[in-house]
Structures are given as C-alpha cells and as structure tokens.
Amino acid sequence: MDFSNLHKTDPEIASAIDQELQRQRDSIELIASENFTSPSVMEAMGSVLTNKYAEGYPGKRYYGGCEKVDIVENLAIDRVCKLYGSKFANVQAHSGSGANMSAYMALLQPGDKILGMALDNGGHLSHGAKVSFSGKVYHSVSYGVDPQTERINMDDVAAIAEREKPQVIVAGASAYPRTIDFEAFAEVAKSVGAYLVVDMAHIAGLVAAGYHPTPVGVADIVTSTTHKSLRGPRGGFVLTNDEELAKKIDKATFPGLQGGPLMHVIAGKAVAFGEALQPSFKEYIGRVVENAAQLGKGMTDGGLRLVSGGTDNHLCLVDLTPANVTGKEAEEVLGTVGITCNKNTIPNEKQKASIASGVRIGSPAMTTRGFNAEESYRIGQLIAQTVFNKDDQEVLDRIHGEINDMLAKHPLYPEL
Ligand SMILES: *Cc1c(COP(=O)(O)O)cnc(C)c1O
C-alpha cells in the first residue's frame, strides 16, 4: 500500500503505522485471535467505500447513491452463505460482540435469561460476563469445563439448563482447545425450549474449511468474527436458516443497534470470504491445525502441561504451573525473545485474571506467515525453554537469536 500522502500530511500517525508493521514483522505472532489479512483485504478497507452512508440493506436503503455499495454487500452475503451453506446472512456487525448483540436482541427481551460458557473457563465476555452488556441487559448464568477432564461435560450443561431454564444457550469459546459438540448443545436447548446461539468467532476458518463440525443448520443463529482464523478484516456477521429469525436479526442490527454499515469493511469481508472459498484456504487451515498440534507437542516435550491434554483446533491452552511461572510473567518474558502471546486463566485458576496461570498459544497468524510443522514443534520447545529459564539472560539471548533467524526465513508483507 502506498502511504506517501499520509507520510506528508500526518507523519506522526504514518510513523506509528510503520512502527506497528515493524513490530508485527519482528515477532512470532501466537495470539490465537489474531491473523495477517491479505493485502487485497487491506486495499478494500482503505478504499472510497468509507465515504458512503448506506443505512438499510441492499435495495432498501435510506440514502441515494447506494447502487455500487449494494453490489459489495450482496457479494459479501452471497459468498458467506456459500462458504457456510447458510440460507441467510447479515454482514453489517461492526464486531463479534456486536454480532452477539444482534443475535440476543433478535431472540430476547431485556431481563431474559442466557446460559453461556464462563469467561474464566474459556468463554467470551459477550456470553454473559457481568461486566459486559450481555450480563447487564440479560440475566446471565454459566457453565464451565469439568475440573477433571477440563472439557465441556454435556451432562453438566444439560443439568444446568434444566435447573435454570434459559431462553438462550450460547455455545462457543475464546480459549477452548477442543472440538465443541454443537449437536449435543442443540439437543439440550431443545429439551428446555431454549434457542441455541453458536458463536464460532475463533473457529470460523476451521468450520469453513471442514476442520470443525459446522454449527450452521444445527444452531438457530450462528455469530462470528471475520478477523480470527477466517483471516478477514476486523468485523462480525450473523447466519441463520430461518427466514423469520433472519428478519429479526436484520432489524436488530439496523436500526436496533447500529446506524450506517462500514461499507469499506464489508468489502474487505467479501474479499476474505472469496479467499476462504478457494482450495488454498482449506490447505491453509490444515496447516493451522497441524501447527497447533506441533506447538503443543514441543511445549509438552519441554515440560509444560496442556489444559485438557492437547488440542483439536488452532490453539493450545498452556498450564505454566510446572514451571512455577505466572501467565503475566510468561507473556512478558516471551515478548523479550520475540514471541507474542497472551496470558490466560486456566480451569481451577488460583490467580487473578490479570496474573493468570496460563498462556494461550495459537497458530493462525504464524501459519499465514509460512511457518511449517517442524518449525512449530521447535517454537513449542523454545516457549518451554524460555519460561523455565526466565531469569537466565544468556539462554534468553540465544533463544531470541534463533527466533530472529526463523523470522528472517518468513518475511511478513514483503510487498509493503
Ligand atoms: C473474539 C470473540 C468475540 C468478540 O469479538 P470482537 O470483535 O472483539 O467484539 C466474540 N466471541 C468470541 C467467542 C470471541 O472469541
């Protein structure tokens, strides 16, 4: 992309963007919710579409001059429906949390009850956490993981649903390394007369590529982000096969929650959906899953413990207590050797969330950058070595050197 204008008119912002590009290049990105979107997606987002007001939906807008943006939004809708085999889609949500707001507003009245996965067990803020709109507007209750297996136990979920009688059950997570049984959730929802919302934000790319069972056709409503494993621009979308629900979702999104849609971002979403429809995306996700497994193997061989004993998807949740290091300390020391990740609570957590006993390690971004299975295993070993030697500067310097050599083999955005 050409930033020559920005460098002239606003050198402060241009410089911060340059520095951020350099930061992204200089470390191995293992934050499970991040990815590197394509230059084509970024071009669409940096386009004249940002100038256009388009309140409403294609063919039914509240402004003139929407013929061209209608092409964009219709393509985004058609492509995402094709990608997931869905009948209806709304692609206007500004974010994943916004997509969830739309789903809840379509199904619930304020004060109704939602049952979601607890934040400290891997759920998301917008699944009923008390500090979130979802825990303030709605009466929220939660399920967690089994303390022994560290996996969702569907008998427990069924018992909580039976006792609480929620109007909506939310399935989906931000820090859960295992396959989620959406069919079992649908059965529980049906048995208590609840709607099922599946939030596939983290695994949207895996679902699109067939590496995780799909919630489409199983849940009443499916919500997602576009910027995680799906590798699109920052944003959200909502799917359903039910025509009445589709109308309610549209109304909830606009005028219920948002004004004008971000047409430049919707264009970026359309480009990303088009990319995800290519055979190369399936291959990419295959490598994402393989690399996550190898990262996990490297870390366990290095002496760390994986929550639930392994991973089925794009992330590992790592228990650092064998190294006697907190999540906060690990995040910091890994940063100094060129590895970016985030601290995370683990099941049966003994620390505050701001300290935590684990880190979350994800493979989508590093796989986009080109790291292979062998390198992933090595990175896993280096993560373990780093946390076990966090006070030995000599060891840390050697690891940082090895990381830098690996980074140099996989240049990020060489065209920029
Ligand atoms: C990331 C995430 C979201 C929220 O996405 P934002 O775009 O940050 O609002 C929602 N649900 C789940 C499960 C997520 O992991």
Side-chain angles (χ1 to χ4, degrees), residues 33-38 40-42 45 204-205 225-237 265 267-276 281 284 368 413:
S33 50
E34 293 191 9
N35 213 326
F36 301 115
T37 200
S38 72
S40 301
V41 168
M42 290 194 285
M45 279 193 287
T225 55
T226 39
H227 50 274
K228 297 179 183 174
S229 57
L230 192 50
R231 206 163 62 177
R234 196 155 288 282
F237 63 89
V265 177
K269 291 175 186 175
V271 173
F273 298 149
E275 291 173 357
F281 189 78
Y284 159 66
T368 296
Y413 294 126

Side-chain angles (χ1 to χ4, degrees), residues 5 76 111 144 146 173 229 272 304 311 356 384:
N5 280 304
D146 183 289
S229 57
L304 297 173
T311 176

Side-chain angles (χ1 to χ4, degrees), residues 219-380:
D220 297 288
I221 297 179
V222 175
T223 63
S224 186
T225 55
T226 39
H227 50 274
K228 297 179 183 174
S229 57
L230 192 50
R231 206 163 62 177
R234 196 155 288 282
F237 63 89
V238 186
L239 306 175
T240 186
N241 279 345
D242 181 309
E243 188 167 6
E244 288 312 305
L245 282 183
K247 286 183 196 153
K248 288 184 182 171
I249 291 162
D250 282 352
K251 270 197 190 147
T253 307
F254 172 84
L257 293 161
Q258 298 183 175
L262 310 176
M263 291 314 308
H264 56 306
V265 177
I266 291 173
K269 291 175 186 175
V271 173
F273 298 149
E275 291 173 357
L277 283 162
Q278 303 301 314
S280 56
F281 189 78
K282 211 185 191 99
E283 292 162 20
Y284 159 66
I285 293 292
R287 290 193 297 274
V288 165
V289 172
E290 171 65 14
N291 285 351
Q294 291 300 322
L295 282 162
K297 198 160 177 296
M299 290 188 287
T300 35
D301 287 353
L304 297 173
R305 190 186 78 87
L306 300 190
V307 168
S308 82
T311 176
D312 300 328
N313 59 22
H314 64 298
L315 69 84
C316 300
L317 192 55
V318 188
D319 179 359
L320 300 162
T321 46
N324 199 21
V325 170
T326 67
K328 184 169 184 283
E329 289 168 333
E331 180 187 306
E332 281 167 13
V333 69
L334 286 165
T336 69
V337 300
I339 291 174
T340 309
C341 67
N342 63 281
K343 62 176 175 279
N344 215 103
T345 55
I346 59 173
N348 317 308
E349 182 60 71
K350 307 269 185 308
Q351 306 275 4
K352 293 186 295 188
S354 57
I355 306 287
S357 301
V359 284
R360 192 181 60 159
I361 298 289
S363 60
M366 57 100 75
T367 304
T368 296
R369 191 161 172 165
F371 288 97
N372 62 27
E374 210 176 302
E375 292 168 310
S376 298
Y377 179 78
R378 181 66 187 148
I379 294 165

Side-chain angles (χ1 to χ4, degrees), residues 95-97 100 124 126-127 173-174 199 201-202 225 227-228:
S95 68
S97 299
N100 286 339
H124 188 262
S126 60
H127 296 184
S174 300
D199 176 352
H202 255 265
T225 55
H227 50 274
K228 297 179 183 174

Side-chain angles (χ1 to χ4, degrees), residues 17 91-92 171 175 195 226 255 271 284 331 349 390 398:
I17 294 173
V91 297
Q92 293 193 357
Y195 287 103
T226 39
V271 173
Y284 159 66
E331 180 187 306
E349 182 60 71
K390 74 172 177 54
R398 187 176 47 70

